[in-house]
């Protein structure tokens, strides 16, 4: 399988400065917006049902995160997904803790039925969404990305989209191809909402890409590289949070190509 020119994806995204419309959770909004701005994208954080369809049609990509969901928010997410589909706008589903409660399981399946371009979650979330696991411990995964490989491939084939399983090593598949991305830093799971913000980064790359699989790999590789850079300076979770946003801002396309640890395979 040919390699992916990660640098070209990063350059293209920064040149376009895409608008990414995020219906995300209360905890993540500030982090997600700051990460997207540092990356070079333009974030919108709008969740009112009365305007989400308009935003979805304006945006280059949409991300939907069920972290602090309510019935009204789920309705708004469905409206945004439908509008994105009608406009040909790519969208990302982030099924936070989807297996934890009946409300989340229902919301996850309703949004899954609308054919997300990319599903990005931890291993337990992906297993739960594919009806192959219990869903982890709240928002925390109790499974590894390798545990969720088969479920991810099956889910990608079922939806026609890309599935990204994030963890110590990330896994991305479109049902035909599979990538593993290593890197990042051990402090990343100790900073809340960095995973949620990653879904916005995936959206930014999707907005300007012809191949959602390659875009998703490039987004995750960029995030891993920013984590590596931030870890060189951080003394703990607090300083890592600040260093990470700076590292996202400083991402260099050619360095990304050299440093990224990406392995590509044919899906089993």
């Amino acid at each position: 399988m040919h390699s992916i020119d990660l640098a070209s994806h990063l350059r293209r995204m920064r040149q376009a400065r895409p608008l990414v419309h995020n219906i995300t959770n209360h905890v993540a909004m500030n982090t997600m917006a700051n990460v997207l701005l540092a990356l070079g994208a333009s974030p919108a954080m709008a969740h009112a049902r009365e305007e989400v369809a308009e935003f979805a049609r304006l945006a280059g990509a949409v991300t939907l995160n069920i972290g602090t969901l309510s019935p009204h928010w789920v309705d708004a997410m469905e409206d945004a997904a439908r509008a994105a589909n009608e406009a040909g706008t790519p969208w990302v589903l982030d099924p936070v803790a989807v297996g934890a409660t009946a409300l989340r399981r229902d919301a996850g399946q309703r949004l899954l039925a609308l054919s997300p371009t990319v599903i990005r979650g931890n291993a337990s979330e992906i297993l739960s969404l594919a009806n192959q696991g219990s869903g982890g411990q709240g928002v925390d995964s109790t499974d590894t990305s390798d545990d969720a490989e088969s479920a991810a491939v099956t889910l990608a084939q079922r939806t026609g989209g890309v599935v990204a399983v994030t963890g110590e090593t990330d896994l991305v598949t479109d049902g035909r191809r599979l990538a593993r991305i290593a890197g990042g830093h051990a402090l990343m799971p100790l900073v809340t909402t960095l995973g949620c913000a990653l879904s916005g980064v995936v959206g930014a790359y999707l907005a300007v890409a012809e191949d959602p699989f390659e875009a998703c790999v490039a987004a995750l590789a960029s995030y891993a590289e920013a984590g590596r850079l931030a870890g060189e300076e951080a003394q703990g979770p607090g300083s890592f949070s600040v260093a990470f946003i700076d590292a996202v801002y400083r991402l260099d396309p050619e360095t990304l190509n050299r440093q990224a640890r990406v392995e590509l395979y044919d899906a089993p």
Side-chain angles (χ1 to χ4, degrees):
M1 186 184 298
H2 68 86
S3 62
I4 297 173
D5 184 1
L6 306 172
S8 67
H9 284 272
L10 177 56
R11 286 196 203 93
R12 192 181 309 124
M13 185 277 303
R14 283 179 168 165
Q15 288 168 358
R17 193 171 174 79
L19 173 64
V20 183
H21 172 209
N22 308 285
I23 306 179
T24 192
N25 65 73
H26 292 295
V27 184
M29 289 183 189
N30 186 68
T31 302
M32 193 176 198
N34 282 332
V35 166
L36 283 169
L37 287 169
L39 183 69
S42 177
M45 323 302 284
H47 59 266
R49 190 175 186 186
E50 292 77 6
E51 66 173 355
V52 293
E54 289 179 81
F55 259 112
R57 286 189 286 267
L58 287 172
V62 173
T63 77
L64 307 178
N65 175 306
I66 66 170
T68 54
L69 80 174
S70 68
H72 185 80
W73 274 37
V74 176
D75 291 341
M77 290 179 190
E78 287 186 296
D79 288 351
R82 290 192 186 97
N85 287 341
E86 290 167 3
T89 302
W91 66 279
V92 182
L93 171 60
D94 190 338
V96 177
V98 70
T101 66
L103 176 64
R104 290 172 187 273
R105 289 189 291 274
D106 177 67
Q109 292 304 316
R110 285 165 59 184
L111 292 168
L112 189 65
L114 294 170
S115 302
T117 312
V118 172
I119 303 163
R120 194 227 52 95
N122 65 39
S124 293
E125 291 162 349
I126 297 304
L127 283 162
S128 179
L129 204 59
N131 297 315
Q132 295 185 28
S134 60
Q137 180 177 305
V139 299
D140 297 322
S141 182
T142 53
D143 303 281
T144 68
S145 55
D146 282 343
D147 295 332
E149 178 182 320
S150 177
V153 171
T154 299
L155 201 56
Q157 292 171 343
R158 180 174 133 205
T159 62
V162 173
V163 177
V165 188
T166 51
E168 188 172 341
T169 298
D170 300 330
L171 183 150
V172 180
T173 183
D174 61 357
R176 298 180 296 106
R177 297 168 290 179
L178 191 148
R180 284 187 173 84
I181 302 104
H185 193 272
L187 285 173
M188 293 179 82
L190 300 182
V191 181
T192 189
T193 70
L194 281 192
C196 299
L198 173 54
S199 292
V201 170
V202 172
Y205 277 82
L206 280 177
V208 297
E210 295 179 1
D211 185 337
F213 172 80
E214 286 200 2
C216 196
V217 172
L220 270 58
S222 298
Y223 223 65
E225 172 63 6
R228 183 189 71 80
L229 290 170
E232 293 177 350
E233 302 178 12
Q235 302 301 307
S239 56
F240 184 89
S241 180
V242 174
F244 182 79
I245 292 175
D246 288 345
V248 170
Y249 177 77
R250 298 199 322 267
L251 278 172
D252 172 70
E254 298 308 326
T255 303
L256 177 62
N257 267 357
R258 288 196 307 272
Q259 294 288 346
R261 296 161 59 192
V262 177
E263 296 179 351
L264 298 169
Y265 313 85
D266 292 322

